[in-house]
Amino acid sequence: MTKLRWSIPTTLALVAGLLAAMPASARDTGPIKDPIPDDPAPSGLGLVVEEIAQLPKSEPTPPELVVDPRLKRHNRINYVGELPDGSGRMYVPDLNGKLYFLDKKTKTPKPYLDVGATFAPDFFSAQGLGQGFGFVTFHPEFKKNGKFYTVHVEAGNALTTKKPDLTPQPRTAYHGVVDEWTAADPAADAFQGTRREILRVGFSGRIHGIQQIDFNPNARPGDAEYGKLYLAVGDGGNGNVGDNGGDPQNLAVPQGKILRIDPAGNDSANGKYGIPADNPFAGQAGKVGEIYAYGMRDPHRFTWDRGAGKRMFLAHIGEHAIESIHDIRPGSNLGWSEREGAFTFDKADRCFLYPLPEDDAENGYNYPVAAYDHDPPPGHSCTSDSGHAISGGFVYRGAHLPALRGKYLFTDIVDGRLMYTEEREMKLDPAGRNRAQIYSLQAYDTSGTPVTMRQLAGDNRVDLRISADGKGEPYLIAKANGKIWKVVGTRQFADCKTVPVRVSDATAERDWAPVTPSKWRFPGDEVVLAEAGAERPGPRRPFEYAVLQKGPVLGSSQVDAKVRLDTPVEITNRDVIIVFGHRSDTEFYYAHLSTDNAIYPHNGIFAVDNADRLRIDQQWNGNRQVPHGAPPAITDANWHDVRVKHCAGTGEIAVYLDGSRKPLMTAVDTTFGSGRVGFGSFDNIGRLRDLTVTGTRAS
């Protein structure tokens, strides 16, 4: 029989099921303060990254119109891929205009084509985060036919001298243009050849234009899918209001859609490409036959899994709160702007999302298979950018990183978080309730030092993307400093050695040094905190604990024990702590294991460094509406297995519960490189048994 482990995700699923069964009159229809309480969880897995290239600095065009500081980056590289010709060359587009090839061996960048100069003076990249030379993709037969495709933005005279091919938005201010280029010599390192325009789309806003364009790598010659070009077309930045409100749901216009065309065909309205007959709306009156899927705000990146399912996944950037991943099928409708993720979007409310209506199943919306929310910080205005945006991503099927196989890898563009979810858990749910758990990834440099992408990029706004080479091996790209890193390995978090010291059978009174000895009992096989502690003078820290005196002072250490909370379960703020790195009563770390995770001092990893305890774990979420930490550690009166591992050299700290291979909480902090371990609480009672401590002797 499988034992059900109660956790936040389990509880939320149960509540969602009960809500679905309620009559409409009993359902909560008010605003949702925390749409996705289930945060990305620590995976205990890290990516080892190695810098391989530095791309040249560049500026938006025309420079005098740049007012948004988010466009003033080292450059605006947004993708890296490998040419499908077996040469090993890689390519990198820069939104500011140039396409670079990277040398196979040295990864030295060389300009291959200046798209910006080709279309000057109408080329435009000075306003809007996605404006400029947005993307490039190469035909699967590029080695033979030399064909590749680009998308760029035009303004200026183009708005009066050139006409969009599909219905433009009212007051069109920008054109998104797709061109086909044919290289005279596909093996050359600089472009010479011809080009032709195949499609032009009109947008009224300067964001959410044409994002990615690409071919399905799973298609083979002879397949109906082979050579079909997909285009992710955004809503123009205002597909929820004004003249363009409803465009993503309007099948008579191209904005807010994924289009699918045949560049080798000629039966489109402009005669420059074909409309595949197997498109879901091909040949239907009043509908754009090029549409493959719809209901989108900002379809940032899409990819096809090369595994057995061959599924198409889309990373979709939200408005109020939701960053989502979708399993795209022909005719899929993501629901924007009636829906954001699996929630009701109210155009009149700039701050909150709302529950789905009782009859929502009738709409048949394609809800996320995985998602996370923005969790704006305290004091943040709900009408401004909260600084989060998803960038997909692909399912890893490569050969060199077995720990990543089957994982859909993606990033947050702004803060640079690295994340994944398991492809096998990414299942369509028409009700929008069940989503795959998202996990966070640590980053390491090649020396094994834990780092963040913010540190590697040298900026709090990373502008991070992830993509892959022809063999499916991952690369990371940052606009902040124009660098590219290759993921060259994986490693477990806090994977240091904790030998040769081993301490066990340590439950005698002589083995421990309590703060207040009278409050403790040592019956023989347990260490019991029998009376609650009281606050003491000095910095805010645990009230009562005992330090293990048996054995030497440790550097790196691992504490394994069973703990139990004796405070009644009706008290929600009860806790026990595991002390480590203890040097004095005002210098130590502790892991706080609590029933409550709703306030800053509970259920986390803390450092006391001659000042009030400071939270150092990576799980605290300061959501201005519903702040919370990791899922509650101990909610019952049972014994629980706890492991706390501390790597003194790197500062990695991991807390595990009940044999889980994934940590409940993690931190990176190098304040204390050695010390003793202990057990206690703030103002509760509890006990410990089956203690084993392993580690290295402190130098």
Side-chain angles (χ1 to χ4, degrees), residues 261-274:
I261 66 173
D262 180 3
N266 58 12
D267 63 343
S268 61
N270 66 6
K272 298 177 182 178
Y273 60 89

Side-chain angles (χ1 to χ4, degrees), residues 230 258 280-281 292-294 296 309-313 326-334 366 369 426-428:
Y230 287 75
I258 289 178
F281 306 106
Y292 183 79
Y294 64 111
M296 299 164 195
K310 311 297 183 188
R311 294 193 287 170
M312 181 182 186
F313 292 114
H326 297 258
D327 179 343
I328 301 296
R329 311 290 175 88
S332 289
N333 179 4
L334 275 58
N366 177 297
V369 293
M426 299 165 71
K427 299 177 181 178
L428 285 170

Side-chain angles (χ1 to χ4, degrees), residues 55 76-82 90-95 98-100 102 133-138 212-215 300-303 306 391-394 463-470 475-479 483-484:
L55 276 293
R76 296 174 65 206
I77 56 174
N78 66 354
Y79 191 78
V80 58
E82 183 176 334
M90 303 189 76
Y91 61 90
V92 184
D94 182 337
L95 283 157
K98 290 184 179 179
L99 172 61
Y100 295 93
L102 303 183
F133 168 32
F135 210 85
V136 59
T137 188
F138 290 79
Q212 182 179 357
I213 58 174
D214 225 336
F215 296 95
H300 184 255
R301 291 287 183 265
F302 57 85
T303 187
R306 300 195 185 200
S391 178
F394 62 96
D463 268 322
L464 185 71
R465 271 78 173 172
I466 186 168
S467 50
D469 62 20
Y475 291 74
L476 298 165
I477 316 122
K479 293 180 185 177
K483 292 185 176 182
I484 300 175

Side-chain angles (χ1 to χ4, degrees), residues 520-598:
W520 292 80
R521 305 289 182 270
F522 300 91
D525 60 350
E526 296 179 357
V527 176
V528 182
L529 175 55
E531 297 180 34
E535 187 171 3
R536 295 172 288 128
R540 182 76 175 179
R541 63 201 188 280
F543 298 168
E544 187 63 40
Y545 62 89
V547 177
L548 179 66
Q549 295 298 300
K550 187 177 181 180
V553 174
L554 300 176
S556 295
S557 63
Q558 180 172 302
V559 180
D560 287 283
K562 291 184 183 294
V563 301
R564 193 180 83 184
L565 272 162
D566 292 341
T567 301
V569 295
E570 292 78 14
I571 298 175
T572 59
N573 66 344
R574 61 199 193 118
D575 68 84
V576 291
I577 65 165
I578 301 294
V579 173
F580 56 102
H582 185 277
R583 296 184 174 187
S584 74
D585 187 37
T586 57
E587 297 173 303
F588 60 94
Y589 293 119
Y590 67 92
H592 189 273
L593 307 174
S594 176
T595 297
D596 172 47
N597 73 333

Side-chain angles (χ1 to χ4, degrees), residues 40-351:
S43 66
L45 184 63
L47 306 181
V48 181
V49 300
E50 179 180 30
E51 181 182 332
I52 64 160
Q54 167 75 71
L55 276 293
K57 188 173 178 58
S58 66
E59 300 291 341
T61 301
E64 65 272 12
L65 294 183
V66 179
V67 294
D68 188 341
R70 295 175 298 175
L71 273 68
K72 298 177 182 178
R73 316 299 284 157
H74 178 86
N75 55 34
R76 296 174 65 206
I77 56 174
N78 66 354
Y79 191 78
V80 58
E82 183 176 334
L83 292 165
D85 61 358
S87 68
R89 295 176 297 174
M90 303 189 76
Y91 61 90
V92 184
D94 182 337
L95 283 157
N96 289 331
K98 290 184 179 179
L99 172 61
Y100 295 93
F101 279 4
L102 303 183
D103 180 82
K104 178 181 178 179
K105 294 182 179 180
T106 67
K107 297 298 187 286
T108 303
K110 296 181 180 179
Y112 177 76
L113 170 65
D114 192 335
V115 174
T118 301
F119 298 104
D122 293 336
F123 177 82
F124 188 87
S125 67
Q127 296 175 0
L129 295 177
Q131 301 279 73
F133 168 32
F135 210 85
V136 59
T137 188
F138 290 79
H139 192 279
E141 295 184 10
F142 172 75
K143 185 175 183 178
K144 292 188 203 176
N145 63 26
K147 295 187 182 300
F148 62 98
Y149 299 83
T150 63
V151 59
H152 72 277
V153 173
E154 293 182 10
N157 290 334
L159 300 178
T160 56
T161 62
K162 300 175 183 178
K163 182 180 178 181
D165 298 300
L166 301 173
T167 304
Q169 292 181 323
R171 289 183 288 279
T172 292
Y174 307 95
H175 289 173
V177 187
V178 179
D179 282 273
E180 177 186 82
W181 308 72
T182 303
D185 178 7
D189 288 330
F191 175 77
Q192 286 188 338
T194 61
R195 64 173 173 85
R196 69 181 183 99
E197 182 178 310
I198 61 174
L199 178 62
R200 182 176 291 259
V201 179
F203 299 94
S204 62
R206 57 178 176 241
I207 57 175
H208 311 169
I210 302 177
Q211 296 280 24
Q212 182 179 357
I213 58 174
D214 225 336
F215 296 95
N216 184 344
N218 295 319
R220 295 293 178 264
D223 296 346
E225 179 76 342
Y226 190 71
K228 303 304 187 291
L229 182 65
Y230 287 75
L231 301 81
V233 182
D235 69 355
N238 51 5
N240 58 321
V241 294
D243 294 331
N244 308 322
D247 275 0
Q249 293 297 314
N250 182 359
L251 293 174
V253 300
Q255 295 84 9
K257 317 292 194 304
I258 289 178
L259 308 183
R260 178 175 178 259
I261 66 173
D262 180 3
N266 58 12
D267 63 343
S268 61
N270 66 6
K272 298 177 182 178
Y273 60 89
I275 300 176
D278 57 351
N279 275 4
F281 306 106
Q284 297 185 25
K287 300 177 181 178
V288 175
E290 291 90 336
I291 294 173
Y292 183 79
Y294 64 111
M296 299 164 195
R297 176 182 181 267
D298 189 6
H300 184 255
R301 291 287 183 265
F302 57 85
T303 187
W304 288 267
D305 182 9
R306 300 195 185 200
K310 311 297 183 188
R311 294 193 287 170
M312 181 182 186
F313 292 114
L314 169 72
H316 187 265
I317 297 177
E319 169 89 0
H320 281 336
I322 308 301
E323 305 303 312
S324 55
I325 303 163
H326 297 258
D327 179 343
I328 301 296
R329 311 290 175 88
S332 289
N333 179 4
L334 275 58
W336 177 253
S337 62
E338 302 300 322
R339 301 287 182 270
E340 182 180 342
F343 303 93
T344 297
F345 181 85
D346 184 346
K347 300 175 182 62
D349 188 339
R350 296 288 297 149
C351 295

Side-chain angles (χ1 to χ4, degrees), residues 607-625:
V608 179
D609 185 17
N610 295 304
D612 288 354
R613 78 283 185 258
L614 175 68
R615 188 162 191 149
I616 58 173
D617 65 87
Q618 298 165 338
Q619 278 61 66
W620 177 248
N621 183 329
N623 185 325
R624 62 184 168 85
Q625 295 289 340

